[in-house]
Amino acid sequence: MPAAAVFLFDTYGKLLGDPLVVAALDAMGFGQWLRYFVGVAELAGGIGLLVPILSGLAGSCLVALMIGATVITVVQAQGQIVMAAFPAVTLLVVAIIAWGRRDRTIRLLQRSTSRTERDDAREAVITAS
């Protein structure tokens, strides 16, 4: 899946400390913590896009990440709005993925919730005994 490849490839520079990425974040006034946070989020999202049951949830999380990236790019571009084209197009792609896989995401979250409720009920029975 090309979207996953974009995120997995982009993770490389962030997690391994590519000097251009480090300099860009320094120039924007963000600490290097953001580089690690975004790198880990992109890595998890890229892997999640490759796992069918997680692809919708990963897409949804990447939408949030790419909204932030697009806004930061627009603010930092200082009038060069074309700089926001890549994050904006990537945002559109992951939004389409998230929307297309929304049924999977709902089922995944329902399964997670029902499992938690079962565990709570089981624990209540054990403690009542």
Side-chain angles (χ1 to χ4, degrees):
M1 176 181 285
V6 168
F7 286 102
L8 294 173
F9 179 76
D10 200 39
T11 298
Y12 173 80
K14 290 181 180 78
L15 293 181
L16 296 182
D18 182 322
L20 293 175
V21 176
V22 171
L25 287 170
D26 283 342
M28 287 188 267
F30 295 110
Q32 294 305 305
W33 66 270
L34 184 64
R35 176 173 60 92
Y36 290 112
F37 174 78
V38 172
V40 169
E42 287 180 345
L43 178 62
I47 292 170
L49 289 176
L50 296 173
V51 179
I53 196 167
L54 298 176
S55 59
L57 182 61
S60 298
C61 293
L62 289 170
V63 164
L65 185 70
M66 294 313 299
I67 287 171
T70 303
V71 168
I72 288 172
T73 303
V74 167
V75 169
Q76 295 290 324
Q78 299 174 352
Q80 296 178 337
I81 200 75
V82 72
M83 297 294 293
F86 182 76
V89 169
T90 307
L91 167 61
L92 179 63
V93 170
V94 293
I96 291 169
I97 292 169
W99 180 258
R101 305 251 184 349
R102 68 189 179 281
D103 294 335
R104 290 181 187 179
T105 304
I106 291 168
R107 282 195 308 269
L108 178 66
L109 295 175
Q110 286 173 340
R111 185 177 348 166
S112 174
T113 302
S114 65
R115 185 172 295 146
T116 302
E117 290 169 356
R118 261 196 325 261
D119 292 344
D120 290 346
R122 189 175 304 136
E123 186 176 317
V125 169
I126 291 171
T127 56
S129 300

